[in-house]
Amino acid sequence: MSNNRIVSGMRPTGKLHLGHFHGVLANWLELQENFECFFFAADWHSLTTEYDNTGAIRDNVAEMVLDWLAFGIDPEKSTIFVQSRVPQHAELSLILSMITPVSWLERNPTYKEMQENLSAKDLSTFGFLGYPVLMASDIIVYKAGRVPVGHDQLPHLEITREIARRFNYLYGEVFPEPVALLTETPKVLGLDGRKMSKSYGNAIFLSESGEETRKKVMSMVTDVQRPRRADPGEPDRCVAYSLNHMYLPEEKKAEIVTACRGAQIGCVDCKKIQAEYLVETLAPFRARREELTARPGLVGEILDVGNRRAAAEAARTMVDVMNAIKL
């Protein structure tokens, strides 16, 4: 095991949006320069909530990985693979499920929360309850030393650490207890002011056209307490500014804030400026994505290499596991 080994995954929901970039990809780009990284498409995790709607998962994996590559996740620097193509994840998950108390799973902070938020789905399944065990397997099957997480994800990582600790106590030292590599993830608001989400229909996708992006920015909620153009505005109350200020140079932001508060610029004009900076920022990524799309076999080839590399590492761990449990 290397303390510099990192494992991180993402559910394949299709094309990614700005929230994914600022929440995950931006961190991955930095991590791959300094750590041994394993990045995977968590398609088995998709089954925990989408078990009755699996038709799009395979295509979603391809679209998501295409976004990763276009943004600079480098298969020469990182191992990029698909969870279900490395069966050792499931093998280790089964073994870990034998030693994990149900009470640990029931206290998972997102268990009841997700059941409430996805009340239209029947989530009273073994797989949904036990997904932290699979998550633990995803991490420790590579004997990862660190896991990039935000503060809100620390309880999930602690379950992984407890499971690894319990295995080691029962069978001898096999797994390191992975530590959190805390990452700062800015909250990205969607078009309507809620958290940006594909399911909310309020997302700006990384791969859509510049014209589509402009239309979405122009539809964003602004300062609701500024009903007339002549009224002074407040950028801190403006959903559009809260998102797009991330793409403006400091001097331009200062100029807009002053003009908004002095009623020298209207919301429409402000959003036009913000939209152009956002489109300009995303242009290199979108051009790169078009180049990659023109090579239809590329994603599959990269995943084949990554799957084999990941499986080889996981297989070595499973030899240690099977020896430890004497099977």
Side-chain angles (χ1 to χ4, degrees):
M1 189 278 297
S2 168
N3 284 329
N4 283 327
R5 179 171 290 177
I6 279 179
V7 176
S8 188
M10 192 185 298
R11 290 193 186 200
T13 57
K15 295 179 180 179
L16 305 182
H17 54 65
L18 292 176
H20 292 118
F21 173 69
H22 290 284
V24 180
L25 281 182
N27 289 320
W28 284 9
L29 288 172
E30 294 184 13
L31 292 174
Q32 73 175 0
E33 300 300 327
N34 300 295
F35 297 93
E36 180 189 10
C37 294
F38 286 72
F39 298 136
F40 67 95
D43 53 347
W44 271 334
H45 279 293
S46 293
L47 294 180
T48 61
T49 56
E50 299 297 325
Y51 57 83
D52 58 345
N53 183 29
T54 62
I57 292 177
R58 187 175 296 175
D59 289 340
N60 285 347
V61 167
E63 290 292 339
M64 183 177 72
V65 172
L66 196 58
D67 281 341
W68 295 358
L69 298 172
F71 253 108
I73 303 303
D74 188 346
E76 296 299 321
K77 298 177 179 178
S78 304
T79 300
I80 304 172
F81 66 102
V82 181
Q83 182 187 34
S84 66
R85 297 300 182 268
V86 184
Q88 289 88 353
H89 285 240
E91 184 181 7
L92 180 56
S93 180
L94 175 63
I95 293 170
L96 297 179
S97 72
M98 304 300 180
I99 67 170
T100 303
V102 173
S103 61
W104 291 6
L105 304 176
E106 291 176 332
R107 76 167 190 247
N108 174 14
T110 60
Y111 177 59
K112 290 183 178 179
E113 179 184 336
M114 288 185 68
Q115 283 188 319
E116 293 170 358
N117 292 340
L118 299 174
S119 57
K121 289 182 174 290
D122 179 11
L123 297 181
S124 56
T125 62
F126 174 78
F128 181 71
L129 175 65
Y131 87 82
V133 180
L134 178 57
M135 184 179 70
S137 172
D138 297 332
I139 297 167
I140 67 176
V141 78
Y142 299 103
K143 298 189 178 182
R146 310 182 193 194
V147 180
V149 293
H151 285 276
D152 59 331
Q153 297 169 314
L154 285 174
H156 302 116
L157 181 59
E158 187 55 34
I159 295 177
T160 295
R161 288 168 52 83
E162 288 178 333
I163 292 173
R165 194 178 305 135
R166 183 170 172 83
F167 184 97
N168 292 341
Y169 172 76
L170 291 170
Y171 306 115
E173 292 289 329
V174 172
F175 300 115
E177 292 181 28
V179 298
L181 185 64
L182 288 173
T183 58
E184 295 299 325
T185 55
K187 183 178 181 181
V188 180
L189 300 181
L191 306 178
D192 57 2
R194 293 182 292 174
K195 180 180 177 180
M196 186 172 288
S197 171
K198 183 178 180 180
S199 61
Y200 291 159
N202 66 356
I204 295 176
F205 292 96
L206 300 176
S207 57
E208 62 195 5
S209 70
E211 188 56 34
E212 288 173 310
T213 298
R214 292 185 184 93
K215 287 180 180 179
K216 286 186 175 181
V217 171
M218 297 307 296
S219 74
M220 291 187 76
V221 177
T222 53
D223 181 359
V224 296
Q225 297 182 39
R226 187 188 185 189
R228 292 177 296 273
R229 165 67 174 78
D231 296 330
E234 176 48 65
D236 290 340
R237 295 193 301 255
C238 178
V239 172
Y241 185 77
S242 74
L243 170 66
N244 293 294
H245 86 278
M246 292 186 282
Y247 304 97
L248 272 62
E250 290 299 323
E251 63 273 13
K252 193 65 178 180
K253 285 192 284 186
E255 177 187 321
I256 286 178
V257 168
T258 300
C260 176
R261 289 172 176 163
Q264 297 163 349
I265 188 173
C267 296
V268 170
D269 291 332
C270 184
K271 287 195 288 187
K272 285 181 180 178
I273 294 170
Q274 294 168 351
E276 290 309 312
Y277 275 100
L278 176 55
V279 170
E280 182 181 345
T281 300
L282 292 175
F285 157 76
R286 290 169 172 169
R288 174 63 175 159
R289 198 181 197 280
E290 287 185 12
E291 293 176 8
L292 295 173
T293 303
R295 302 165 62 186
L298 180 65
V299 171
E301 293 170 6
I302 289 172
L303 288 176
D304 284 344
V305 172
N307 293 340
R308 289 195 296 270
R309 191 185 303 161
E313 290 293 333
R316 280 191 275 273
T317 298
M318 290 310 300
V319 170
D320 294 339
V321 169
M322 299 304 279
N323 287 336
I325 64 176
K326 298 179 175 59
L327 288 183

